[in-house]
Amino acid sequence: MTITDSPTPETAVSSAPSDDMAGSGAFSPTQLVRAVPDALRKFTPRDQARNPVMFVVYLGAIVTTVLAVAEPSWFSWAIAFWLWFTSLFANLAEAVAEGRGKAQAASLRKVKQDTTARRLGAGDEITEISGADLVIGDRIVVEAGEVIAGDGDVVEGIATVDESAITGESAPVIRESGGDRCAVTGGTVVLSDRIVVKIATSPGESFVDRMIALVEGASRKKTPNEIALDILLASLTVIFLLAVVAVGPLQQYAGSTPDPVKLIALLVCLIPTTIGALLSSIGIAGMDRLVQRNVLAMSGRAVEAAGDIDTLLMDKTGTITFGNRRATALVHAPGVPIDEIARAACRSSLGDDTPEGRSIIDLCRDRYGIDVESVRPAPGSATIVPFTAQTRMSGLDIPEEGDLAIRKGAADAAIRWAREGRTPVDDAVTAAVDEIAAGGGTPLVVADRVGDAPVRILGVIALSDVVKPGIAERFAQLRAMGIRTVMVTGDNPRTAAAIAAEAGVDDFISEATPEDKLALIKTEQSGGRLVAMTGDGTNDAPALAQADVGLAMNTGTSAAKEAGNMVDLDSDPTKLIDVVAIGKQLLITRGALTTFSLANDLAKYFAILPALFSGIYPQLDDLNVMRLHSAASAITSAVIFNALIIIALIPLSLKGVRYRPSSASKLLGRNLAVYGVGGVVSPFIGIWLIDLVVRFLPGMG
């Protein structure tokens, strides 16, 4: 195993979601123009039938056009013209949203290229093959300047990698074996050193392939909420269709001849065309907002679930704290010289490829003068004992030195090992552990044992970590949303309590194992709560798969990325907070526009119903509160407004309704006030203004 002292870059703190959330995905009128050809291509019965509400408008436009050809009039042609425009604007909303994904997919296709891979065979023989011929389990060698031929995990070496083609970040990242920063993506470029990559995906199923399919919308399926809303809108459409069908006989009974063009116009204005036209674009835009933040959602269900999250599980290291814990001090046990614990700490970390392990070697060499090469066992004479979530210790076994075993690890695990070896623990050691933990640091106890002799506790290593600035404010925002935050850490209870208090989380779990995470998620879900969590390691995979929203880090293992339903290309675990805000914004946008659409119908009743029946029942003219010019101008104005309001709301459906952290009741009240009242008032004004213009057109007298 190669030991390196290369530094690991710190995790950046993402900006807090606030007012900027509404501005994500800037909209420009040119997008409408570019999307027109795609919108026109959607005028097929198969495409239209996917949306029951707009399919009724589509059929109405066809029938009205046929009637206008059979009995031409300015009125019938005007209604037919605007019904076609209503369908076009609905297609345009979806086409604009899909167009963004196609632009993203076009840039991703440039990443895909037919590369030559150097595959390692038996006896480390290297064979050059096409990247398309790689299969799961193949090991390939990639050196500086070469393109990584497929997705996989680094199993040997360390290198800087250019991932700008995927993440958009120009700064190179470090990928290394033996940790949670081992995953690499096909199409990225190695800038330095040499790594061996174990392929984890089959051709055509790479991360880039899945990204292209997802951002294009090819694999976007309707979420449960969308399906439920579709059923509601379809039911309302059927109800209004039956009501309009009944209007014809009523008119005949009253001695008036029904006009099918007017009845079609009435039906189109009564059914919820606004939300029916925008529903698909809202869902696509929600996924697009995640893509803009370099988060890839594997399904719309995941985005929607993020908006309903009740409990948020977050790792301490790298999420709440910077995660680059470094050894800052050694505390020797009574009677143990400082250089002896320094030598033991250094030796116990020789097989530890983690940043913490390398920092211990740095500390022992730089501060305590340990010659690293002089304490390194001869090749083949020592066995590396890796860290596991169960033992929570690591170290070396050196049979040639009297069966010497050196261990470092979590204080409780090392002390338990000592007590099992019949060794009492000095109060000075436990005092040092408590002092480091109380200060928010992580104590690692160093111990050794020769043969069957009792275990000796040599001292304590102090690892220091720093809580990210602004993280407490972000947790306060989540609390305002009604979300409970839980910090999960392998640290001892005192360290965990100190970090939890500083960060402001609602609860914490210390000395957590992967089984503990999974059990907590299941417990929360059994109480009817939705759970989100982040993870990057293979041991996080079961919990990521169990969580309703599992955000896997792009730097993490392939197993973690396969288990989660979202992948953060920037590998910033705090971005889960942004994901929750985007999910809530999606739900709020859908609810707000549904409210606006249903409220719109009220003004249309006052426009069309008096126009249809005031000639038969003069008293109904009192409902003509807008004092519209004539029956023809009133119906035409209502149909025109019905079409224009769709195009006016496309920017809002793409950007999303502005979201501010607040309780559900306050959000509901605000949206009812703005979009409920606005939906009632705006049509009265809009239809009245349109009537002032159309009354001068032929046939509107």
Side-chain angles (χ1 to χ4, degrees):
M1 182 175 292
T2 302
I3 306 297
T4 177
D5 296 336
S6 301
T8 301
E10 293 183 353
T11 303
V13 183
S14 62
S15 57
S18 56
D19 298 346
D20 295 337
M21 190 62 68
S24 61
F27 173 82
S28 66
T30 57
Q31 292 176 347
L32 287 176
V33 177
R34 289 198 299 265
V36 168
D38 289 332
L40 292 174
R41 281 192 285 269
K42 291 180 178 290
F43 273 120
T44 63
R46 175 178 294 181
D47 284 331
Q48 296 298 309
R50 290 188 293 109
N51 188 329
V53 177
M54 299 315 300
F55 186 58
V56 170
V57 179
Y58 175 72
L59 293 178
I62 294 174
V63 173
T64 306
T65 302
V66 172
L67 293 174
V69 171
E71 298 182 15
S73 69
W74 280 99
F75 172 72
S76 59
W77 276 114
I79 296 299
F81 176 84
W82 282 103
L83 289 184
W84 282 115
F85 261 86
T86 302
S87 293
L88 175 64
F89 293 160
N91 293 346
L92 204 56
E94 188 174 58
V96 170
E98 290 176 348
R100 295 180 173 193
K102 290 178 180 177
Q104 180 86 1
S107 66
L108 287 170
R109 282 196 176 90
K110 297 177 183 177
V111 177
K112 293 190 63 179
Q113 49 186 299
D114 188 11
T115 57
T116 299
R118 293 189 293 150
R119 181 172 62 184
L120 276 176
D124 288 342
E125 285 186 24
I126 295 179
T127 307
E128 290 193 356
I129 66 170
S130 170
D133 295 331
L134 291 172
V135 297
I136 296 175
D138 280 348
R139 295 189 304 148
I140 61 173
V141 177
V142 192
E143 296 184 351
E146 295 179 349
V147 176
I148 299 172
D151 295 358
D153 296 324
V154 178
V155 293
E156 182 180 321
I158 180 171
T160 54
V161 179
D162 178 8
E163 295 185 342
S164 59
I166 294 176
T167 65
E169 297 293 335
S170 58
V173 296
I174 291 178
R175 295 292 177 263
E176 58 187 333
S177 63
D180 292 335
R181 293 181 178 270
C182 63
V184 291
T185 305
T188 57
V189 181
V190 172
L191 299 180
S192 69
D193 302 294
R194 172 188 184 274
I195 54 176
V196 176
V197 177
K198 185 177 181 180
I199 298 300
T201 60
S202 301
E205 299 176 1
S206 70
F207 191 62
V208 173
D209 290 319
R210 286 186 294 160
M211 285 182 68
I212 291 172
L214 287 163
V215 299
E216 279 187 325
S219 45
R220 191 187 95 86
K221 298 179 180 179
K222 289 187 176 182
T223 65
N225 280 354
E226 277 186 283
I227 294 172
L229 188 54
D230 268 340
I231 294 173
L232 172 63
L233 298 181
S235 301
L236 290 174
T237 300
V238 171
I239 291 171
F240 284 123
L241 177 62
L242 295 176
V244 170
V245 168
V247 168
L250 286 176
Q251 285 185 306
Q252 286 183 324
Y253 179 78
S256 176
T257 303
D259 184 344
V261 174
K262 291 181 178 179
L263 293 178
I264 291 173
L266 173 63
L267 174 62
V268 170
C269 289
L270 292 183
I271 62 178
T273 52
T274 305
I275 186 59
L278 299 174
L279 184 59
S280 179
S281 67
I282 293 170
I284 296 172
M287 296 186 71
D288 179 64
R289 281 192 288 276
L290 281 178
V291 171
Q292 290 168 24
R293 284 169 171 76
N294 274 354
V295 176
L296 179 64
M298 300 303 180
S299 68
R301 180 192 295 265
V303 186
E304 191 173 87
D308 284 329
I309 286 300
D310 300 296
T311 304
L312 191 60
L313 269 63
M314 305 186 81
D315 280 332
K316 175 184 76 72
T317 305
T319 305
I320 295 172
T321 63
F322 278 109
N324 58 333
R325 296 185 302 178
R326 297 190 64 83
T328 54
L330 297 179
V331 180
H332 61 91
V336 178
I338 190 66
D339 63 331
E340 185 173 358
I341 182 182
R343 284 170 54 86
C346 182
R347 301 186 85 183
S348 68
S349 303
L350 289 174
D352 187 350
D353 276 341
T354 65
E356 291 85 354
R358 291 195 291 270
S359 75
I360 293 172
I361 295 174
D362 292 342
L363 177 71
C364 295
R365 181 189 60 225
D366 299 339
R367 184 180 300 181
Y368 299 100
I370 300 299
D371 183 350
V372 178
E373 293 306 318
S374 69
V375 301
R376 190 187 300 273
S381 65
T383 302
I384 295 173
V385 179
F387 176 90
T388 68
Q390 283 70 35
T391 64
R392 296 166 59 232
M393 292 193 301
S394 63
L396 289 178
D397 286 341
I398 313 175
E400 294 184 1
E401 296 185 19
D403 201 13
L404 173 63
I406 306 173
R407 297 289 187 271
K408 75 171 191 299
D412 64 311
I415 290 173
R416 189 183 311 116
W417 184 55
R419 286 175 174 160
E420 288 172 356
R422 306 179 307 280
T423 301
V425 179
D426 196 286
D427 291 342
V429 173
T430 56
V433 168
D434 292 342
E435 183 179 353
I436 294 169
T442 301
L444 298 181
V445 171
V446 182
D448 69 5
R449 181 180 63 194
V450 178
D452 294 329
V455 174
R456 288 195 311 153
I457 292 184
L458 304 177
V460 185
I461 304 170
L463 296 180
S464 298
D465 205 350
V466 179
V467 173
K468 293 181 178 180
I471 197 74
E473 289 75 12
R474 303 197 72 183
F475 285 142
Q477 290 178 341
L478 289 171
R479 197 170 296 109
M481 301 178 199
I483 297 173
R484 175 172 169 261
T485 54
V486 180
M487 181 185 79
V488 182
T489 177
D491 286 338
N492 64 72
R494 289 180 65 93
T495 301
I499 295 294
E502 185 177 353
V505 295
D506 296 317
D507 200 358
F508 69 90
I509 298 178
S510 60
E511 300 176 349
T513 64
E515 294 79 9
D516 292 334
K517 294 180 184 179
L518 187 60
L520 175 61
I521 292 173
K522 290 181 177 179
T523 300
E524 292 287 323
Q525 291 173 333
S526 65
R529 292 177 289 273
L530 297 184
V531 182
M533 75 160 287
T534 61
D536 55 7
T538 301
N539 60 356
D540 290 325
L544 285 170
Q546 180 68 35
D548 300 284
V549 177
L551 181 64
M553 302 296 102
N554 191 39
T555 57
T557 62
S558 298
K561 290 195 286 187
E562 289 292 334
N565 51 22
M566 291 187 184
V567 177
D568 177 19
L569 302 182
D570 294 331
S571 299
D572 175 11
T574 61
K575 199 178 289 183
L576 185 55
I577 301 174
D578 289 340
V579 170
V580 171
I582 291 172
K584 286 188 174 293
Q585 186 187 31
L586 170 66
L587 297 178
I588 290 170
T589 301
R590 187 184 295 152
L593 292 184
T594 301
T595 302
F596 186 90
S597 177
L598 297 178
N600 255 240
D601 291 341
L602 183 61
K604 298 169 190 173
Y605 301 153
F606 285 90
I608 295 184
L609 291 179
L612 287 175
F613 293 103
S614 61
I616 305 172
Y617 305 106
Q619 57 269 37
L620 287 179
D621 191 54
D622 293 338
L623 295 179
N624 185 13
V625 294
M626 291 174 279
R627 313 318 303 170
L628 303 178
H629 176 66
S630 65
S633 72
I635 294 172
T636 304
S637 298
V639 172
I640 292 174
F641 177 84
N642 199 58
L644 293 181
I645 198 64
I646 294 174
I647 202 75
L649 290 175
I650 288 178
L652 185 61
S653 72
L654 296 179
K655 292 181 180 179
V657 173
R658 184 179 296 276
Y659 170 68
R660 299 177 188 275
S662 183
S663 64
S665 58
K666 289 183 179 179
L667 289 173
L668 177 62
R670 185 185 306 126
N671 285 337
L672 286 177
V674 175
Y675 296 97
V677 175
V680 171
V681 173
S682 59
F684 281 95
I685 299 173
I687 292 173
W688 178 74
L689 290 174
I690 294 171
D691 181 74
L692 295 179
V693 177
V694 301
R695 66 176 59 184
F696 298 107
L697 297 177
M700 298 296 166

